[in-house]
């Protein structure tokens, strides 16, 4: 019997694949939920693209979802592995209220899967007002 044939290893591999699929689905779902909040213009990937969830062959910028968010400890909302959301708001959006709406939307979506990690919302920028005259 090789190490790969050991029943415990097969179970670990299945769990790892299930977690990966769940992380992919959840990252995409969170991005969609955030972008649906009125006043959110875009997700912000950070100045150097450092804010994101890295997936096989792609990344979801602006959503930092760590695998630790799927552990029992994170489900207890101890805040040690927060889900981070970085957004760009429209110029006319009320910042605090929109950030709270993003937080609430993400929290509700996570709760669907029984997850309750801390959620940190960072308003990284405001989109330029398209109605504003160009700068001289």
């Amino acid at each position: 019997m090789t190490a790969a044939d050991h029943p415990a290893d097969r179970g670990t591999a299945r769990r790892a694949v299930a977690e990966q699929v769940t992380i992919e689905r959840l990252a995409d779902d969170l991005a969609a939920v955030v972008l649906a909040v009125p006043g959110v213009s875009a997700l912000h990937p950070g100045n150097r693209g450092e804010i994101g969830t890295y997936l096989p062959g792609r990344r979801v910028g602006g959503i930092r979802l760590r695998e630790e968010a799927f552990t029992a400890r994170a489900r207890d909302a101890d805040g040690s592995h927060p889900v981070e959301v970085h957004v760009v708001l429209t110029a006319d959006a009320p910042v605090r209220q929109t950030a709270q709406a993003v937080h609430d939307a993400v929290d509700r979506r996570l709760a669907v899967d029984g997850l309750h990690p801390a959620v940190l919302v960072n308003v990284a920028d405001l989109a330029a007002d398209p109605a504003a005259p160009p700068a001289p």
Side-chain angles (χ1 to χ4, degrees), residues 24-46:
E24 288 182 36
R25 179 182 49 83
L26 189 55
D28 289 335
D29 286 357
L30 291 177
V33 163
V34 169
L35 290 171
V37 173
V40 173
S41 175
L43 292 166
H44 193 281

Side-chain angles (χ1 to χ4, degrees), residues 12-114:
T12 301
R14 279 194 297 270
R15 280 192 303 279
V17 169
E19 282 183 0
Q20 182 177 354
V21 170
T22 302
I23 289 172
E24 288 182 36
R25 179 182 49 83
L26 189 55
D28 289 335
D29 286 357
L30 291 177
V33 163
V34 169
L35 290 171
V37 173
V40 173
S41 175
L43 292 166
H44 193 281
N47 292 333
R48 297 186 186 116
E50 69 276 10
I51 306 299
T53 300
Y54 295 87
L55 304 170
R58 66 188 182 96
R59 63 192 277 285
V60 178
I63 303 287
R64 183 176 284 162
L65 179 63
R66 296 182 175 101
E67 289 184 27
E68 291 86 354
F70 293 91
T71 65
R73 185 172 182 192
R75 287 187 181 106
D76 295 333
D78 69 353
S80 62
H81 302 292
V83 171
E84 294 180 43
V85 180
H86 295 247
V87 294
V88 177
L89 302 183
T90 58
D92 61 345
V95 175
R96 287 185 184 190
Q97 293 89 336
T98 306
Q100 185 63 51
V102 168
H103 180 279
D104 295 345
V106 169
D107 199 42
R108 281 191 304 273
R109 175 55 193 89
L110 292 167
V112 167
D113 288 332

